[in-house]
Structures are given as C-alpha cells and as structure tokens.
Amino acid sequence: MAGLFGAANTAAANASNAQGDISKDVPISNPPDDSITDIKFSPQYDHLAVASWDKKVRIYEIGSTGQSEGKALFEHEGPVLSCDFSKDGKRVVGAGADKAARVLDLGNPGAGAQQVAAHEQPIKAARFISVPNSNDQMLVTGSWDKKVKYWDLRTAAAVATVDCQERVYSLDVRDKLLVIGTADRYINIINLQDPAKFYKTIQSPLKWQTRVVSCFTDAGGFAVGSIEGRCAIQYVEEKDAAQNFSFRCHRESPSGTSNISNVYSVNAISFHPVHGTFSTAGADGTFHFWDKDAKHRLKGYPNVGGSLNATDFNHNGTIFAYAISYDWSKGYAANNPQYPCKIMLHSVAPDECKPRAPVKKR
C-alpha cells in the first residue's frame, strides 16, 4: 500500500519489526529560526501550525507527496509557547511569553492576528474548546500566573477564571475533558459541562516535575509525561483506577554499563485519532508508539539527532509530525547555531499504530 510520501517502506510497514524506519521522513520547508515549542495539525485539513521561540506562529499546508508550503504567519511580542486550531480548521491561536493569546482567521489572513486573551504572566498553553450543547468555540488558556481562563472570542474580558495551586505547565482538551498539569505535580481535571470548578484534583503518580499531559482519544483519561523518563496512564473515574499504571521510557544505558541509566524528559505525548494508541517523544531524541490497553510498545525509532519538543498526528492519523530543536533544559550555554531546528513528517504505515490484537485467554 502506498504511503503518503510514496511507496511505503517494507520495514516500516512490518509491525512485527519493533525498530521503526525514519529514512523516508520528509522535512518541512522553511522551518522556524529558533526552538520549536508546539505543533498542531488542523482537525479538518493537512495544515500544520508551529509555535516557536522566534516570536512567530507559522501555518504550513502539507501536500499529498509530503511537500510543504507556508500558508500564513503571524507574530507575537515574545517567544510563542503554544498554538492550536479551531475545530473547523479556520482559525489558529498562538500564546506565549508576551502574556497574550492571538487568533488569526485563515479566511482573512490579511487582517492580521487579533489579541483575544491576556494574563499577568506568560501563557504556557492555549486550546480551543467546544461550548457544551452548542457549535460555538471558546478558548481556554493556562498561565504561569496560576490561572486558567475561558474566553469568548467576541468579548475582551475572560468569561470565567479558575485558580490553580501552581503555575500551569501543560493542559489538554478532549470533548468535555480538560486536564491541567501544574508545578508541584498537581493535576486538575475539569468537566467542561461545569467549567468553573475542578471535578477532581490529584497528585501526579510520577515523582518528578510534570512536562506534558495529553487526553485519551475517547476522553476517558489522560497520559502524563515527566522529566524523569516516565509516562503514566491515568483514568478519570475511580471505577477504572485498576487500569492506571506508569512505565519507564526515554532512558539509555551508556555502552559498557548495566547499572547506570541516562534519564531524559518526556516532552510530548500524542494520541492517534483513529486507533487510540499513542506516541511519546523525549529529550533523548527518540519517539515511540505504544498500546496502553495491551501495555505494549508497538515501535521504537532511531535517534533523530536532537531533542524532540513537540509532536502531533494529522486528523486521520496518516502523518506523524515531530519537531527537533533545543529544549533549553541545559540553559542558554548549551545552545549553539549548529543544533538542529526542523520539523519532520513521518508517513504512518497501516500497521504502525494499530493496537495489538487481544490475546484470548484459555
């Protein structure tokens, strides 16, 4: 079966081979000039939004053979830390260190991006949400000012504010589920039917700082990634708590050693929109596909040559995009002009992300 970028590679298509192939992955043309912080595909089209430390949000159009073309661009007054598409794919939001969120209407890009949200500190995450029992879209933002705010794009003031225990490091939305990861390992869960209060608050099951939270495709739970090279699978409801677990990933033992591990941050987790399997990507420069229900790694991929900061699947799960750039984990002194800064497109072979077939019990 032909892949998105031409004939599917036999090794990549063979799910029994645990080592994936990235030799046919295609780079995005004209990538950002500085570290990439977030990437998001449109829910409707093969358009990719990219947020970067160079103060810009870029929108690319991806062609059927993997070619990419810049479609639009807008600027902030500081590094951009987050981006997202509206559910209809017609608007893009960017948010970041200038303490503002801005929205660009792709139907009228000449009008420029309009500021739609503000916080007292940098905004770490912004996501479009659907208003329950309505086709309307709103915006939710989470900031280092320890607040989560909801915005009606037609009015200047936030329509609701939720105070968190600590700075917001990550948030994600799926259907009516909003999950917020903060400093000090708090994880707040909100049912968007009642958006102004926490449905539940837990401490992360992982012992170290939360790096990313990502909702299941079916909104029944979420995954948590931390700086300690671990990932946790967590269900929302207590009746499903027996299925919660965590596992080690993004670690390596130096050659010639067996009792030493280099531990890397899990920077990104993305769920496949069709199969419900998921990816992890880390500061070690590798990404992996996993089946949470079978507790099984489907595939691991070779080192890409730099830290992986952000990932996403396109709307039908046929493309996996991953961003390679410096993650600032070692401060400004470790950055250099030779460090790669690029976005790669991986054509997902038919069986690469399929869940493992259940084993029949005798």
Side-chain angles (χ1 to χ4, degrees):
M1 180 177 180
L4 177 77
F5 309 141
N9 183 280
T10 303
N14 184 0
S16 64
N17 180 2
Q19 179 72 19
D21 180 23
I22 59 173
S23 65
K24 299 290 192 294
D25 293 2
V26 178
I28 289 276
S29 301
N30 301 310
D33 300 319
D34 206 342
S35 291
I36 299 154
T37 54
D38 199 12
I39 60 176
K40 279 290 176 183
F41 271 109
S42 163
Q44 302 293 333
Y45 316 102
D46 284 336
H47 295 162
L48 182 69
V50 178
S52 162
W53 274 76
D54 67 6
K55 306 180 184 180
K56 297 179 178 66
V57 176
R58 294 169 171 81
I59 298 93
Y60 299 90
E61 185 169 5
I62 313 301
S64 60
T65 58
Q67 79 276 18
S68 54
E69 181 181 0
K71 184 176 177 65
L73 175 149
F74 63 94
E75 296 199 35
H76 280 249
E77 296 174 6
V80 190
L81 304 178
S82 182
C83 62
D84 194 28
F85 274 93
S86 60
K87 299 299 181 281
D88 60 9
K90 295 179 180 178
R91 290 174 289 182
V92 176
V93 63
D98 60 358
K99 309 174 188 177
R102 306 169 195 275
V103 169
L104 180 71
D105 183 349
L106 293 178
N108 185 22
Q114 305 299 312
Q115 181 171 341
V116 296
H119 280 259
E120 295 178 2
Q121 294 294 329
I123 301 174
K124 183 59 173 70
R127 293 289 181 261
F128 282 100
I129 59 173
S130 297
V131 179
N133 307 314
S134 169
N135 291 324
D136 292 340
Q137 291 272 285
M138 293 180 67
L139 190 69
V140 60
T141 54
S143 167
W144 292 344
D145 65 8
K146 306 181 184 180
K147 297 181 186 299
V148 168
K149 295 184 179 184
Y150 299 93
W151 306 87
D152 183 330
L153 302 182
R154 297 166 296 188
T155 60
V159 297
T161 299
V162 183
D163 291 318
C164 296
Q165 306 85 346
E166 255 294 353
R167 292 153 291 166
V168 175
Y169 283 167
S170 178
L171 65 76
D172 196 27
V173 177
R174 181 76 64 165
D175 300 334
K176 299 172 186 176
L177 175 65
L178 168 61
V179 180
I180 306 153
T182 77
D184 287 351
R185 300 171 42 247
Y186 289 103
I187 295 177
N188 299 306
I189 301 163
I190 291 178
N191 180 343
L192 290 174
Q193 296 275 38
D194 192 4
K197 68 177 185 181
F198 297 143
Y199 176 73
K200 182 185 291 188
T201 294
I202 65 171
Q203 289 281 157
S204 169
L206 307 178
K207 295 179 181 179
W208 296 89
Q209 178 183 306
T210 300
R211 195 77 172 91
V212 60
V213 294
S214 183
C215 297
F216 297 173
T217 307
D218 65 4
F222 53 93
V224 185
S226 76
I227 63 170
E228 68 194 277
R230 290 182 75 93
C231 179
I233 298 297
Q234 198 78 16
Y235 286 81
V236 172
E237 302 298 341
E238 286 298 322
K239 64 181 177 64
D240 300 318
Q243 299 179 67
N244 296 340
F245 69 98
S246 62
F247 60 95
R248 295 176 182 175
C249 52
H250 301 283
R251 301 178 178 211
E252 65 176 10
S253 295
S255 58
T257 65
S258 58
N259 59 348
I260 298 175
S261 286
N262 292 327
V263 179
Y264 297 89
S265 171
V266 180
N267 290 337
I269 298 173
S270 299
F271 279 84
H272 193 279
V274 177
H275 299 308
T277 51
F278 68 100
S279 64
T280 62
D284 61 336
T286 69
F287 64 91
H288 306 263
F289 294 154
W290 309 85
D291 180 347
K292 66 177 174 58
D293 299 324
K295 299 181 179 179
H296 176 73
R297 189 181 77 157
L298 299 170
K299 274 192 183 295
Y301 294 80
N303 194 298
V304 299
S307 179
L308 287 166
N309 295 348
T311 60
D312 200 23
F313 288 99
N314 71 332
H315 63 99
N316 59 11
T318 57
I319 309 172
F320 177 70
Y322 55 93
I324 308 164
S325 62
Y326 183 55
D327 63 4
W328 297 97
S329 60
K330 296 181 180 179
Y332 74 91
N335 195 17
N336 67 75
Q338 285 71 47
Y339 203 98
C341 186
K342 58 186 178 180
I343 303 152
M344 303 296 292
L345 302 175
H346 175 78
S347 178
V348 179
D351 293 331
E352 263 182 306
C353 288
K354 275 189 179 178
R356 197 178 190 187
V359 178
K360 293 182 179 180
K361 295 181 179 180
R362 292 187 175 182

